[in-house]
């Protein structure tokens, strides 16, 4: 794994994983304890008060979180006196579930404004308590890692110094899927349409964005290594083809050059380089193809009419399925034909589009 030499001076890694903030902000229940999530006063960042309380007592330190806390109403607080009126702090050990609220977590990126507007509600009182870490503190860096589907090629990793808990892909509008892990706390997600992987470090609240498929990722702050297990089609030739039509290698270098010109617009820049607006050819599980009815046969293939149960939509689509004869090992010539068809498809109806590739098990 090759990492650039840009500065990555972050908060000290937590001695225990931070499990009270979800990796997708559209969740309602804590993955760790099952309680309902609460929301911060600003930016509606979700967190679990029960797990935060356990974390507070376990660590006994305020050096692991960049958080802003304000006092709400301590009239009935059983732990503090009224002297906490107009109270504001960045020390998580000062947080009380009875008389204070989390204004926002500065390390959590669920809203662009959370990094631009850094002032809590009661700014006049709290100004002296504001973190010294302004937006310029959160700088990006990048590196390269060997691809597990592209032979002798590398894919780009962008090291984000914040916890990215978006629930949708930064390129297309599809919801991100969790990658299966042994732990019930999820910190790996990906877009199977765009081949973009998001790996979170729950000790540092950082995120690696991997543009491509690989089998491991390392946190740049604490050096912990996360292992990934992503199986797309089970066929390396098909996997390489699907990746090649989605992401051009030259765009990797455009993003690497852009990284610290405007860190908080990095998502918009990635989208501008990879989003085409044209439906891409995807891998379709054979179980989603139903009601096959033979309508024609030639020397090399059989044509069927079928229905496709689209996983991302609650309905079926009538499709034509072209099944190649004696195609246990798909050739690159067939895939090159598909690639040419995809490149010619500019969204007009006069070209027959291809939804994807499947394989009869």
């Amino acid at each position: 794994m090759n990492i650039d030499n840009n500065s990555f001076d972050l908060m000290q890694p937590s001695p225990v994983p931070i499990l009270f903030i979800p990796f997708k902000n559209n969740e309602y229940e804590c993955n760790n304890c099952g309680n309902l999530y609460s929301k911060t006063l600003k930016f509606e960042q979700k967190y679990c008060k029960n797990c935060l309380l356990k974390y507070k007592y376990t660590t006994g330190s305020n050096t692991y979180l960049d958080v802003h806390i304000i006092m709400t109403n301590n009239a009935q607080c059983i732990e503090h006196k009224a002297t906490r009126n107009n109270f504001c702090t960045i020390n998580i050990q000062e947080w009380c579930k009875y008389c204070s609220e989390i204004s926002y977590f500065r390390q959590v990126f669920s809203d662009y404004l959370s990094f631009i507007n850094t002032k809590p509600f009661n700014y006049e009182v709290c100004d002296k308590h504001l973190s010294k870490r302004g937006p310029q503190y959160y700088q990006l860096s990048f590196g390269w890692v060997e691809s597990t589907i592209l032979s002798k090629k590398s894919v780009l990793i962008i090291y984000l110094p914040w916890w990215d808990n978006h629930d949708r892909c930064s390129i297309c509008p599809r919801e991100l899927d969790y990658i299966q892990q042994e732990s019930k706390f999820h910190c790996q997600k990906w877009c199977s349409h765009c081949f973009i992987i998001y790996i979170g470090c729950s000790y540092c609240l950082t995120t690696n964005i991997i543009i491509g498929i690989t089998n491991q990722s390392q946190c740049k702050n604490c050096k912990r290594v996360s292992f990934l297990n992503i199986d797309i089609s089970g066929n390396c030739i098909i996997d390489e083809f699907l990746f090649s039509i989605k992401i051009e290698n030259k765009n990797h270098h455009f993003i690497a050059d852009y990284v610290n010109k405007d860190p908080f617009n990095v998502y918009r820049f990635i989208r501008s380089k990879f989003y085409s607006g044209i439906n891409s050819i995807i891998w379709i599980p054979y179980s989603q193809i139903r009601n096959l009815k033979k309508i024609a046969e030639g020397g090399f293939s059989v044509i069927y009419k079928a229905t496709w149960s689209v996983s991302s939509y609650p309905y079926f689509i009538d499709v034509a399925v072209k099944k190649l004869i004696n195609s246990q090992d798909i050739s690159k010539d067939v895939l090159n034909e598909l690639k040419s068809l995809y490149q010619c498809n500019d969204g007009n109806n006069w070209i027959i589009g291809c939804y994807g590739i499947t394989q009869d098990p």
Side-chain angles (χ1 to χ4, degrees):
M1 182 179 297
N2 181 24
I3 301 175
D4 78 329
N5 294 321
N6 291 348
S7 173
F8 207 73
D9 183 21
L10 290 174
M11 303 286 291
Q12 181 180 349
S14 171
V16 295
I18 298 171
L19 305 179
F20 51 84
I21 302 176
F23 203 36
K24 289 171 63 176
N25 205 46
N26 63 344
E27 297 179 341
Y28 296 97
E29 295 182 354
C30 176
N31 288 316
N32 189 46
C33 71
N35 286 4
L36 292 177
Y37 281 121
S38 301
K39 292 183 179 180
T40 59
L41 297 179
K42 300 187 73 174
F43 316 121
E44 296 188 341
Q45 299 165 333
K46 293 183 179 179
Y47 68 101
C48 175
K49 287 188 175 182
N50 179 52
C51 293
L52 174 57
L53 187 63
K54 293 179 180 178
Y55 178 84
K56 169 186 170 181
Y57 291 136
T58 300
T59 59
S61 174
N62 69 326
T63 59
Y64 314 118
L65 291 172
D66 196 355
V67 61
H68 294 265
I69 304 168
I70 63 174
M71 194 281 297
T72 52
N73 180 7
N74 68 346
Q76 298 179 344
C77 181
I78 61 176
E79 293 188 7
H80 299 99
K81 298 179 181 179
T83 54
R84 282 168 61 97
N85 286 331
N86 296 326
F87 173 76
C88 179
T89 183
I90 59 174
N91 186 346
I92 193 63
Q93 296 301 316
E94 297 280 356
W95 174 73
C96 172
K97 65 178 180 179
Y98 300 108
C99 67
S100 61
E101 290 287 348
I102 303 294
S103 179
Y104 60 90
F105 296 98
R106 190 168 173 75
Q107 294 157 280
V108 177
F109 197 115
S110 54
D111 189 326
Y112 172 71
L113 293 178
S114 64
F115 281 80
I116 302 303
N117 184 356
T118 62
K119 301 175 182 179
F121 285 139
N122 197 0
Y123 172 61
E124 292 77 9
V125 175
C126 303
D127 184 31
K128 63 181 180 180
H129 297 287
L130 287 176
S131 169
K132 296 180 180 179
R133 298 179 177 88
Q136 69 279 1
Y137 173 80
Y138 291 92
Q139 295 295 305
L140 312 184
S141 58
F142 67 91
W144 304 91
V145 65
E146 183 178 351
S147 171
T148 53
I149 62 174
L150 298 176
S151 57
K152 298 181 180 180
K153 292 185 179 180
S154 297
V155 294
L156 177 67
I157 297 183
I158 303 174
Y159 298 97
L160 304 180
W162 57 73
W163 183 256
D164 179 326
N165 68 349
H166 288 112
D167 53 86
R168 295 196 173 271
C169 177
S170 56
I171 296 178
C172 72
R174 290 171 174 80
E175 183 173 349
L176 298 171
D177 297 317
Y178 279 128
I179 300 172
Q180 187 174 1
Q181 298 174 252
E182 293 182 1
S183 170
K184 65 180 180 180
F185 180 75
H186 301 288
C187 56
Q188 299 180 1
K189 58 191 178 185
W190 79 307
C191 176
S192 58
H193 180 81
C194 299
F195 287 13
I196 306 294
I197 303 173
Y198 304 76
I199 307 296
C201 176
S202 57
Y203 293 86
C204 303
L205 288 186
T206 59
T207 308
N208 293 351
I209 295 182
I210 307 174
I211 304 178
I213 303 299
T214 186
N215 59 6
Q216 67 178 33
S217 174
Q218 184 181 48
C219 173
K220 195 174 180 183
N221 191 42
C222 70
K223 310 305 180 185
R224 285 182 172 85
V225 176
S226 300
F227 295 96
L228 300 87
N229 183 18
I230 298 179
D231 183 19
I232 303 172
S233 69
N235 185 311
C236 61
I237 296 177
I238 294 177
D239 291 349
E240 183 171 351
F241 164 75
L242 293 173
F243 181 80
S244 66
I245 64 173
K246 297 174 188 293
I247 298 177
E248 295 186 28
N249 190 56
K250 65 179 182 180
N251 287 335
H252 283 189
H253 296 280
F254 284 140
I255 294 175
D257 292 339
Y258 173 85
V259 160
N260 274 319
K261 292 180 180 178
D262 189 0
F264 306 114
N265 269 325
V266 66
Y267 298 103
R268 187 179 303 168
F269 187 79
I270 293 175
R271 179 179 171 85
S272 71
K273 290 301 177 185
F274 292 127
Y275 182 69
S276 65
I278 302 174
N279 289 329
S280 181
I281 298 174
I282 64 173
W283 171 253
I284 301 174
Y286 191 76
S287 59
Q288 295 180 7
I289 305 299
R290 305 177 183 180
N291 305 322
L292 286 161
K293 182 179 179 181
K294 182 178 176 180
I295 57 177
E297 183 174 356
F300 300 97
S301 63
V302 181
I303 307 300
Y304 296 88
K305 179 182 178 181
T307 53
W308 173 28
S309 174
V310 187
S311 59
S312 55
Y313 300 99
Y315 55 78
F316 297 87
I317 297 177
D318 290 331
V319 294
V321 176
K322 182 178 182 180
K323 184 176 183 179
L324 303 179
I325 298 175
N326 297 324
S327 61
Q328 289 81 1
D329 298 319
I330 190 168
S331 69
K332 290 190 176 182
D333 292 335
V334 173
L335 296 178
N336 287 335
E337 179 183 346
L338 277 177
K339 188 172 184 178
S340 298
L341 178 64
Y342 170 75
Q343 291 173 339
C344 292
N345 185 1
D346 58 359
N348 293 325
N349 294 328
W350 55 274
I351 295 180
I352 298 176
C354 177
Y355 288 113
I357 304 174
T358 190
Q359 188 171 21
D360 187 344

